Amino acid sequence: MAHQEHREHDTLDTIDEQVLKGELFFERHGKKIIIAVAALLVIALGFFAYHRFVTIPKSEKATAQMFVAEDSFMLGQDSLALKGQGAGTQGFEAIAKNFSGTDAANLAHAYSGICLYDMGKYQEALTELKKFSSDEAVVAPSIQRIIGDCYVQLGKLDDAVKAYETAAKQANNEAISPSCLIKAGHVYEKQGKYDKAIALYNEVKTKYYTAPEAETVEADLVRAQAAQGK
């Protein structure tokens, strides 16, 4: 019994010692802990405030500016779409720069690239198109296909083929993939790589056989086979 009381007394002493250590630790570091917690709260509140009062209004302003630029783009007025119409309106270039971090700015890079390509400014177009980022199954591969077009115009055929094949793989559908594969095949023909061109044309015929390109690609296939046989 005395032994048990001694153990209980030792246990209580140990608990008291641990509590005392905890109290001493808090006395020594309590201010630091409170400051750290307060700092986390300030950061969290700051993030919320920034999102509510900066990010959202910024996105709304960017979207409003995009409507005007898109109208010019749809009318084929590439220069106006790119540079803006003045009187408080901004073109795609300014939207991408002034509203960075928004979805509108990201899309503005894509629009800018297309406008620049149509204007024959292929290197500038390539720079803008590469700034666009998306995992969307239609827009992303379509932009990748235009990147391939830029490389062709710049004479960078290896890069062009890579871009076209990447676009076809990203899309993996009959709306986009066949045209990308055919474009890649044309580049391979320019390089004299007829076997690779033929393989891509056959892929269009077999994998995307219900697409319109499955019929028109026959002419490409015959041409490549004839060139290979020379």
Side-chain angles (χ1 to χ4, degrees), residues 67-167:
F67 285 133
V68 179
E70 284 175 337
D71 284 342
S72 297
F73 179 83
M74 295 302 293
L75 292 171
Q77 300 170 336
D78 292 325
S79 182
L80 282 177
L82 194 63
K83 301 295 184 181
Q85 301 179 12
T89 63
Q90 299 182 35
F92 294 130
E93 281 187 347
I95 293 170
K97 179 181 179 181
N98 297 332
F99 299 99
S100 61
T102 65
D103 290 339
N106 184 41
L107 190 57
H109 283 301
Y111 274 122
S112 294
I114 296 171
C115 290
L116 289 165
Y117 180 87
D118 289 341
M119 295 165 68
K121 299 180 179 181
Y122 305 118
Q123 185 58 59
E124 293 177 47
L126 184 61
T127 299
E128 286 298 314
L129 292 169
K130 284 187 171 183
K131 292 178 182 178
F132 174 74
S133 175
S134 174
D135 294 327
E136 202 274 332
V138 175
V139 177
S142 295
I143 295 301
Q144 190 67 28
R145 179 173 57 189
I146 301 173
I147 287 175
D149 293 341
C150 289
Y151 280 129
V152 169
Q153 295 295 336
L154 293 169
K156 299 180 179 180
L157 300 186
D158 288 338
D159 291 327
V161 165
K162 184 178 179 180
Y164 289 141
E165 291 185 327
T166 297

Side-chain angles (χ1 to χ4, degrees), residues 174-199:
E174 295 183 348
I176 298 173
S177 298
S179 65
C180 294
L181 293 173
I182 291 172
K183 281 176 175 284
H186 290 169
V187 175
Y188 277 134
E189 285 191 71
K190 286 184 179 181
Q191 295 179 311
K193 300 176 181 179
Y194 301 109
D195 55 335
K196 291 187 176 182
I198 291 169

Side-chain angles (χ1 to χ4, degrees), residues 52-67:
R52 175 66 181 84
F53 298 109
V54 177
T55 302
I56 293 177
K58 186 178 181 181
S59 296
E60 291 174 349
K61 290 179 182 178
T63 301
Q65 291 289 341
M66 283 290 286
F67 285 133

